[in-house]
Amino acid sequence: DDVLRIAGVPFESRLFTGTGKYPDHAVMNAALDASGTEMVTVAVRYMDLDGERSILQDLDLSRYRLLPNTAGAKTAEQAVRMARLAREATGTNWVKLEVIGDDKTLWPDTEATVAATRTLVDEDFVVLPYTSTDLVAAVRLEEAGAATVMPLASPIGSGQGLPDWASISRIVERITSVPVVVDAGIGVPSDASRAMELGADAVLVNTAIAKADDPVAMARAMRLGTEAGRLSYLAGRMPVSPYAVASSPTAGVPS
Amino acid sequence: DDVLRIAGVPFESRLFTGTGKYPDHAVMNAALDASGTEMVTVAVRYMDLDGERSILQDLDLSRYRLLPNTAGAKTAEQAVRMARLAREATGTNWVKLEVIGDDKTLWPDTEATVAATRTLVDEDFVVLPYTSTDLVAAVRLEEAGAATVMPLASPIGSGQGLPDWASISRIVERITSVPVVVDAGIGVPSDASRAMELGADAVLVNTAIAKADDPVAMARAMRLGTEAGRLSYLAGRMPVSPYAVASSPTAGVPS
Amino acid sequence: DDVLRIAGVPFESRLFTGTGKYPDHAVMNAALDASGTEMVTVAVRYMDLDGERSILQDLDLSRYRLLPNTAGAKTAEQAVRMARLAREATGTNWVKLEVIGDDKTLWPDTEATVAATRTLVDEDFVVLPYTSTDLVAAVRLEEAGAATVMPLASPIGSGQGLPDWASISRIVERITSVPVVVDAGIGVPSDASRAMELGADAVLVNTAIAKADDPVAMARAMRLGTEAGRLSYLAGRMPVSPYAVASSPTAGVPS
Amino acid sequence: DDVLRIAGVPFESRLFTGTGKYPDHAVMNAALDASGTEMVTVAVRYMDLDGERSILQDLDLSRYRLLPNTAGAKTAEQAVRMARLAREATGTNWVKLEVIGDDKTLWPDTEATVAATRTLVDEDFVVLPYTSTDLVAAVRLEEAGAATVMPLASPIGSGQGLPDWASISRIVERITSVPVVVDAGIGVPSDASRAMELGADAVLVNTAIAKADDPVAMARAMRLGTEAGRLSYLAGRMPVSPYAVASSPTAGVPS
């Protein structure tokens, strides 16, 4: 009954996953299974749309909603073109929009991302854009008709966690008409839990699972961390106190 | 098969819980059930050893190992006396040893705690001492025969989490002959998960569950967070990188 | 000889200051004097350009370079208009460009800021834009011809310091053709020092001085903190070690 | 007029320094001069009490109060013996007391340090003990007659700064009869400033100066950082706000 809806589609799992960097497709599939995920993102460039054996042939698309992503796009135009290719090839109008503005950090170009979002929304895509922690960029994406807003926790693949959790909190507080999904940088389950405790609606995790020593075990750990954080958010955390507060009565110590 | 042993006793759950601050005993019992805990600590002063209806009558001791604690003791002598009273009244020789050296912060008096540990170990108690993040005090407790070492994450009941995680890490790295249990200050599941990710063997949580808006839901969240952190520790986390690392190949962007 | 140059103009002080929120103009002037600042920003809306006694009459413009700012502008057009008004009224073509995209957080609208920068640079303004910690926005401002890039440390007037120092570091590393000035959110001298230690070229501080209990003393403290951080950056800090490293030989303890 | 007193002796500089790890004595002396320090600590084991050229011959003891330290002592007895040797050799009854309980982290053994403090105070020493961030250990040192309490910021020589600033704050708040000096782990001037902003009475810095690329410049940077932090503490910092607070009036934007 705690269901997340994106563009009207319900998700029981709030952990979205990727397909990059796994040792092989068998490990990937075992990890996806362990994660409980219901949506998996695949780079359009990975889809091998021309022929040969593609990742799409090894992914059970009856279990997972496919979310093509535009990784590698450096302009709005490239990203839009990738989204169209993906729709033609796979039939889905969902797209994880990435427009990268800096190669070293894979930082998003938010202005180009907003522009591409507008174009793709006009073409009836369901657009889930990757963005920075910039608050106003998040608002512009919401205004442009994005189906979610997906701020990074820290650079893609870095595993640094949420150093700028204050900015994530500001976005969660401000963006109320569509879900906020924390994407990129999550390294351990406590990061996923913290994002959810702050009120994020979901998280997207790829490298932290794929590059763990045991990806399948880590997939399950991320599932539990995400659920823990969501449940904690709903349960309402205790207040933080600057001082200690005794658990037990302080009177009546036997002398 | 991932079993924690304290003084030879196996625990499948790595979340220990308390009994203070709950709205009532019914909520407490529902929360204990949801937490999956196998060991519950009760303040000796709460046991109402003289008569009247005690918390012990409402606690299902066939499900949970009882861990009497010496909350309120300000000297080694008081703590030792409480432990003996608890053993006489309940039959258990396990004790969570607390000797408080400062009322406002409920900071442990580590020197007195070491002394009380020695005395109680000589009397065949299984001693689980609450201590600070001081590394050498942790070593002294291990040398004194403590069955675990239980450093605080932050002040009791404060919910501040693990600001001094570096000291917890040092203790985990140094204390290898007995389990390290992070006790006090955990406020949300991400705190529990982080403690376990650092390599702690278990966590003890009371206030964060009892004082949540919905203690039963939070108990389950803490269970998941603790399991997530443990699983992550065993799975071997990805390395942290100062820069971004692409999830997908960066060659072959359609032009 | 460690001189900062902005648009060719040399500054020996790397602490820029504001004029808002002071108890009165006498305190403000004493604080400006104590800060050692050489550039002072004044809101165009504060200039009272129509008549009446203005802050400009009480500011010794023979000592301080005037930096009009467009605080309050919510669109590129408003900001451009303010800059032109300020130039007509005061004769300076320098402007601290602010275009706010969110009222509650005073978060900059980076897309509009880049657009206004382009317009103003075309009109021969020296543009010092206030921006977020978004890396690509910083690059776009540099490309647009900004004379500095001025990322926020945390929200204006919040005194939260530099929670997202990693993003500031990324900007400092990436923006090399113009100075990086950390603007907004600095609360104490350690914040100013830290910004400079990270390699920022200067800091801008207003509220932390104006709203201190003793603004004049705090102005001096900020001056020292800024100098300390700059000097540390030039001196080359010691490496950080995960372990202890003895200061003294560990052999030869008398027995 | 803002004078620090330790055992009745006034200090205008709140930056104490060490003598270890410098490239040579000339650089050391230039750095001490630049630091403005009035008290310098020297390891008893460094004093070469038997003959040969000692560091003491190269240190201008007419400018700096000598503070012998017991670095290397692993028991209270060793430390007491070192203190007595130092008094015989140098005539000073001041001693920086260090009793190390763990070699890898150089963590203090607080119980042994308290015991050695008692012994040395009985013998009319002025005792400045190095301790951990453990609150009750700090209280015990104060009760034992220590002339200051000197908690570590992080491990000796690590340059990690003040990760556990909350514990330092608790000590500063609780120890009111003698000065609190933050010792060990300071890496950059912002660390020194932050310690002083929290209300510490002084800092002791060695490695961060000696192992900087330019020790003399860093010595001056540390001096400025320490002064900045002290001045900020006295000036009374602005309140921290969770939201932005405009510096300028938000009405009257020209339309």
Side-chain angles (χ1 to χ4, degrees):
Chain A
D1 40 21
D2 174 38
V3 170
L4 169 67
R5 286 181 189 277
I6 299 178
V9 174
F11 294 89
E12 293 196 16
S13 167
R14 291 167 180 270
L15 172 60
F16 303 140
T17 54
T19 51
K21 299 185 182 174
Y22 281 95
D24 58 46
H25 288 183
V27 171
M28 179 188 78
N29 276 316
L32 295 181
D33 180 62
S35 75
T37 192
E38 293 168 22
M39 185 154 63
V40 177
T41 187
V42 177
V44 173
R45 290 172 308 154
Y46 243 19
M47 289 182 178
D48 241 340
L49 302 168
D50 300 331
E52 304 209 38
R53 182 164 190 85
S54 152
I55 197 169
L56 294 182
Q57 294 174 264
D58 285 335
L59 202 57
D60 183 351
L61 295 178
S62 68
R63 289 186 63 180
Y64 311 118
R65 173 171 282 269
L66 176 67
L67 180 64
N69 72 61
T70 66
K74 295 185 181 177
T75 64
E77 294 67 33
Q78 283 181 327
V80 166
R81 210 172 304 128
M82 282 187 190
R84 290 173 187 152
L85 278 173
R87 179 158 64 176
E88 283 165 36
T90 68
T92 183
N93 65 337
W94 288 44
V95 64
K96 176 167 182 260
L97 177 64
E98 301 186 22
V99 186
I100 298 304
D102 179 70
D103 280 348
K104 188 174 183 185
T105 59
L106 300 177
W107 207 261
D109 181 328
T110 60
E111 184 174 342
T113 304
V114 171
T117 297
R118 286 195 194 106
T119 301
L120 291 168
V121 167
D122 277 351
E123 300 182 12
D124 290 327
F125 278 90
V126 172
V127 184
L128 294 80
Y130 162 66
T131 187
S132 75
T133 56
D134 187 278
L135 179 65
V136 173
V139 172
R140 294 292 174 261
L141 290 169
E142 184 185 32
E143 292 168 350
T148 62
V149 172
M150 301 181 70
L152 58 83
S154 50
I156 291 175
S158 72
Q160 292 174 16
L162 290 87
D164 190 19
W165 59 266
S167 288
I168 303 280
S169 286
R170 277 187 288 263
I171 289 175
V172 164
E173 192 176 322
R174 185 73 168 70
I175 304 299
T176 53
S177 73
V178 295
V180 174
V181 181
V182 173
D183 181 16
I186 287 175
V188 275
S190 59
D191 297 335
S193 188
R194 193 167 196 200
M196 301 303 292
E197 291 161 10
L198 291 177
D201 295 285
V203 294
L204 195 155
V205 180
N206 180 23
T207 307
I209 297 175
K211 299 299 273 185
D213 294 340
D214 180 344
V216 178
M218 188 59 89
R220 180 161 162 70
M222 285 292 175
R223 173 188 192 152
L224 296 175
T226 305
E227 290 177 8
R230 176 63 184 175
L231 208 46
S232 170
Y233 175 74
L234 297 174
R237 70 161 291 163
M238 66 174 286
V240 176
S241 158
Y243 295 114
V245 182
S247 297
S248 316
T250 51
V253 179
S255 56
Chain B
D1 40 19
D2 175 37
V3 170
L4 169 68
R5 288 182 188 275
I6 299 177
V9 175
F11 294 89
E12 294 197 14
S13 167
R14 290 166 181 271
L15 172 59
F16 303 140
T17 55
T19 51
K21 298 185 184 174
Y22 281 96
D24 58 46
H25 287 183
V27 171
M28 179 188 79
N29 275 316
L32 295 181
D33 181 61
S35 75
T37 193
E38 293 168 22
M39 184 155 61
V40 178
T41 186
V42 178
V44 173
R45 288 173 309 154
Y46 242 20
M47 289 183 177
D48 239 342
L49 302 168
D50 302 330
E52 304 210 40
R53 183 163 190 84
S54 152
I55 197 170
L56 295 183
Q57 294 174 265
D58 286 334
L59 201 57
D60 183 351
L61 295 178
S62 69
R63 290 185 63 181
Y64 310 118
R65 174 171 281 269
L66 176 67
L67 181 63
N69 73 61
T70 66
K74 294 184 182 177
T75 63
E77 293 68 31
Q78 283 179 325
V80 167
R81 208 173 304 129
M82 282 187 190
R84 290 174 186 151
L85 278 173
R87 177 157 66 177
E88 282 166 35
T90 68
T92 184
N93 65 336
W94 287 43
V95 64
K96 177 167 182 260
L97 178 64
E98 300 184 23
V99 186
I100 298 304
D102 178 69
D103 281 347
K104 189 175 183 185
T105 59
L106 301 177
W107 207 262
D109 181 328
T110 60
E111 182 174 343
T113 303
V114 171
T117 297
R118 286 195 194 107
T119 302
L120 290 168
V121 167
D122 278 351
E123 299 183 12
D124 290 325
F125 279 90
V126 172
V127 183
L128 294 81
Y130 163 66
T131 187
S132 75
T133 56
D134 187 278
L135 179 66
V136 174
V139 173
R140 295 291 173 261
L141 289 169
E142 185 186 31
E143 293 169 348
T148 63
V149 171
M150 302 182 71
L152 57 83
S154 51
I156 292 175
S158 71
Q160 292 175 16
L162 288 86
D164 188 19
W165 59 267
S167 288
I168 303 280
S169 285
R170 277 187 287 264
I171 289 175
V172 164
E173 191 176 321
R174 186 72 168 73
I175 304 297
T176 53
S177 72
V178 295
V180 173
V181 182
V182 173
D183 181 17
I186 286 174
V188 276
S190 59
D191 297 334
S193 189
R194 192 166 197 203
M196 299 305 292
E197 290 161 11
L198 292 176
D201 296 284
V203 294
L204 195 155
V205 180
N206 180 23
T207 307
I209 297 174
K211 299 298 275 186
D213 294 343
D214 181 343
V216 179
M218 188 58 89
R220 179 160 164 70
M222 285 292 175
R223 173 188 192 153
L224 296 174
T226 305
E227 290 177 8
R230 176 63 184 175
L231 209 47
S232 170
Y233 175 74
L234 296 175
R237 69 160 293 163
M238 66 176 285
V240 176
S241 158
Y243 295 114
V245 182
S247 296
S248 316
T250 51
V253 177
S255 56
Chain C
D1 42 17
D2 174 38
V3 169
L4 169 68
R5 287 182 188 275
I6 299 177
V9 175
F11 294 88
E12 294 196 17
S13 166
R14 290 168 181 269
L15 172 60
F16 304 140
T17 55
T19 51
K21 300 185 182 174
Y22 281 96
D24 58 47
H25 287 182
V27 171
M28 179 188 77
N29 275 316
L32 295 181
D33 180 62
S35 75
T37 192
E38 293 167 23
M39 184 153 64
V40 177
T41 186
V42 177
V44 173
R45 289 172 309 154
Y46 242 20
M47 288 182 177
D48 238 341
L49 302 167
D50 302 330
E52 304 208 42
R53 182 167 192 79
S54 151
I55 197 170
L56 295 182
Q57 294 174 264
D58 286 336
L59 201 58
D60 183 351
L61 296 178
S62 68
R63 290 185 63 179
Y64 309 117
R65 173 170 281 269
L66 176 67
L67 180 64
N69 72 61
T70 67
K74 295 185 182 177
T75 64
E77 294 68 33
Q78 283 181 326
V80 167
R81 209 173 303 129
M82 282 186 190
R84 290 173 186 151
L85 278 174
R87 178 158 64 176
E88 284 166 34
T90 68
T92 183
N93 65 337
W94 287 44
V95 63
K96 176 167 183 261
L97 178 64
E98 301 184 22
V99 187
I100 298 304
D102 179 71
D103 281 349
K104 188 175 183 185
T105 59
L106 301 176
W107 207 262
D109 181 328
T110 60
E111 184 175 342
T113 303
V114 171
T117 298
R118 287 195 193 105
T119 301
L120 291 169
V121 167
D122 276 351
E123 299 183 12
D124 290 326
F125 279 90
V126 172
V127 184
L128 295 80
Y130 162 66
T131 187
S132 75
T133 56
D134 187 278
L135 179 66
V136 174
V139 172
R140 296 290 173 263
L141 290 169
E142 184 185 32
E143 292 169 350
T148 63
V149 172
M150 302 181 71
L152 57 83
S154 51
I156 292 175
S158 72
Q160 293 174 14
L162 289 88
D164 189 20
W165 59 267
S167 288
I168 303 281
S169 286
R170 277 187 288 263
I171 290 174
V172 164
E173 191 175 323
R174 185 74 170 71
I175 304 298
T176 53
S177 72
V178 294
V180 174
V181 182
V182 173
D183 181 17
I186 287 175
V188 276
S190 58
D191 296 334
S193 188
R194 192 166 196 202
M196 301 304 292
E197 290 160 11
L198 292 177
D201 296 284
V203 294
L204 194 155
V205 181
N206 180 19
T207 308
I209 297 174
K211 300 298 274 187
D213 294 341
D214 180 344
V216 179
M218 188 58 88
R220 182 163 162 67
M222 285 292 176
R223 173 189 193 152
L224 296 174
T226 305
E227 291 178 7
R230 176 64 183 173
L231 209 46
S232 170
Y233 175 75
L234 296 174
R237 67 160 293 165
M238 66 174 285
V240 175
S241 158
Y243 296 113
V245 183
S247 296
S248 316
T250 51
V253 178
S255 55
Chain D
D1 40 19
D2 174 38
V3 170
L4 169 68
R5 287 181 188 276
I6 299 177
V9 174
F11 294 89
E12 293 196 16
S13 167
R14 289 167 182 271
L15 172 59
F16 303 139
T17 55
T19 51
K21 299 185 183 174
Y22 281 96
D24 58 46
H25 287 183
V27 171
M28 178 189 79
N29 275 317
L32 296 181
D33 181 60
S35 75
T37 192
E38 295 168 21
M39 184 153 64
V40 178
T41 187
V42 178
V44 172
R45 288 171 310 154
Y46 243 18
M47 289 182 177
D48 241 341
L49 302 168
D50 301 329
E52 304 209 40
R53 182 162 191 84
S54 151
I55 197 170
L56 295 183
Q57 294 174 266
D58 286 335
L59 201 59
D60 183 350
L61 295 178
S62 69
R63 288 185 65 180
Y64 309 118
R65 173 171 283 268
L66 175 68
L67 181 64
N69 73 60
T70 65
K74 295 185 181 176
T75 63
E77 294 67 33
Q78 284 180 325
V80 166
R81 210 172 305 129
M82 284 187 188
R84 289 173 187 153
L85 279 173
R87 179 158 64 178
E88 283 166 35
T90 69
T92 182
N93 64 336
W94 287 44
V95 64
K96 176 166 182 262
L97 177 64
E98 300 185 22
V99 186
I100 298 305
D102 178 70
D103 280 348
K104 188 174 184 186
T105 59
L106 300 177
W107 208 261
D109 181 329
T110 60
E111 183 174 342
T113 304
V114 171
T117 299
R118 287 196 194 106
T119 301
L120 291 168
V121 167
D122 277 351
E123 299 182 12
D124 289 326
F125 279 90
V126 172
V127 184
L128 295 81
Y130 163 65
T131 186
S132 75
T133 57
D134 187 278
L135 178 66
V136 173
V139 172
R140 295 290 174 262
L141 290 169
E142 184 185 31
E143 292 168 350
T148 62
V149 172
M150 302 182 71
L152 57 84
S154 50
I156 291 175
S158 71
Q160 293 175 14
L162 289 86
D164 189 20
W165 59 267
S167 288
I168 303 281
S169 286
R170 277 188 287 265
I171 289 174
V172 164
E173 191 176 321
R174 185 73 168 73
I175 304 298
T176 53
S177 73
V178 294
V180 173
V181 182
V182 173
D183 181 16
I186 287 174
V188 275
S190 59
D191 297 334
S193 188
R194 191 166 198 203
M196 300 304 291
E197 290 161 10
L198 292 177
D201 296 284
V203 294
L204 195 155
V205 180
N206 180 20
T207 307
I209 297 174
K211 299 298 276 184
D213 294 341
D214 180 343
V216 178
M218 188 58 88
R220 179 159 163 72
M222 285 291 176
R223 173 188 192 153
L224 295 175
T226 306
E227 290 177 8
R230 176 63 183 176
L231 209 46
S232 171
Y233 175 74
L234 296 175
R237 69 159 293 162
M238 66 175 286
V240 176
S241 158
Y243 296 113
V245 183
S247 295
S248 317
T250 52
V253 179
S255 55

